[in-house]
C-alpha cells in the first residue's frame, strides 16, 4: 500500500503545475526537460529489448537458483524464489495499473482520471486475487 501511495503522489504531482500554450518556451524547466528525456528513452526499442532480457534473466535465474541444487543455502534459495514471485507480481500490477491509466489518458481525460482508473483496476484485481485465494487457495 505504501508503494501505491507513493506512485499515486508521483503521478498526481504534476497536476498543479503552471501550464503554458503549446509551442511556447515559457515555463520550460527541469521537470519538462526530465519528462522529455525520459519519454525519448522509453520510446527507444533497444531499451525495451534490454529491459525484457534483463527481467527474464532475473526471474529465470532466481527460479533456477532457488529450485536447483547448486549448493546454495536453503534460506537463500527460498529468498530467491520469493524475489521471482515479487518481480512477476510487480510486473502484473504494473500492467494492470498502467494499462488502465493509459487507456483513460488516450480517451482525452487527465492525469487524475488516469490514476483513479489505474488504482480502481489494481484494487479490483487484488480483490479478485483475495477472493480466489479464499475459495480455492492458489497461493501457498
Amino acid at each position: 500500500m505504501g508503494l501505491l501511495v507513493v506512485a499515486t503522489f508521483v503521478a498526481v504531482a504534476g497536476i498543479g503545475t503552471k501550464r503554458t500554450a503549446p509551442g511556447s518556451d515559457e515555463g520550460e524547466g527541469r521537470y519538462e526537460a526530465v519528462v522529455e528525456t525520459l519519454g525519448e528513452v522509453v520510446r527507444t526499442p533497444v531499451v525495451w529489448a534490454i529491459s525484457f532480457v534483463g527481467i527474464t534473466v532475473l526471474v529465470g535465474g532466481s527460479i533456477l537458483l532457488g529450485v536447483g541444487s547448486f549448493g546454495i543455502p536453503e534460506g537463500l534459495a527460498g529468498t530467491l524464489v520469493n524475489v521471482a514471485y515479487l518481480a512477476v507480481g510487480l510486473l502484473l500490477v504494473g500492467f494492470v495499473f498502467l494499462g488502465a491509466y493509459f487507456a483513460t489518458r488516450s480517451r482525452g481525460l487527465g492525469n487524475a482520471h488516469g490514476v483513479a482508473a489505474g488504482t480502481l483496476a489494481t484494487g479490483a484485481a487484488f480483490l479478485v486475487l483475495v477472493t480466489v485465494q479464499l475459495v480455492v487457495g492458489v497461493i501457498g
Side-chain angles (χ1 to χ4, degrees):
M1 288 304 293
L3 289 175
L4 183 60
V5 169
V6 170
T8 304
F9 176 76
V10 168
V12 182
I15 290 176
T17 60
K18 180 181 175 186
R19 296 185 181 199
T20 57
S24 68
D25 289 335
E26 292 181 24
E28 184 70 28
R30 184 187 306 170
Y31 176 77
E32 288 83 11
V34 169
V35 169
E36 184 177 332
T37 304
L38 288 176
E40 291 173 5
V41 169
V42 168
R43 289 183 193 95
T44 307
V46 173
V47 172
W48 285 98
I50 291 172
S51 300
F52 175 76
V53 170
I55 290 169
T56 304
V57 167
L58 171 76
V59 171
S62 62
I63 288 291
L64 280 176
L65 289 174
V67 299
S69 52
F70 295 106
I72 295 176
E74 189 173 323
L76 182 60
T79 303
L80 289 173
V81 172
N82 288 336
V83 165
Y85 288 155
L86 178 67
V88 170
L90 286 176
L91 283 173
L92 291 175
V93 167
F95 286 143
V96 169
F97 182 85
L98 291 175
Y101 175 81
F102 286 120
T104 304
R105 292 285 303 186
S106 69
R107 286 168 175 76
L109 298 174
N111 282 338
H113 296 101
V115 171
T119 304
L120 184 66
T122 304
F126 181 71
L127 286 176
V128 167
L129 177 67
V130 168
T131 304
V132 170
Q133 171 63 23
L134 289 173
V135 172
V136 181
V138 293
I139 301 173

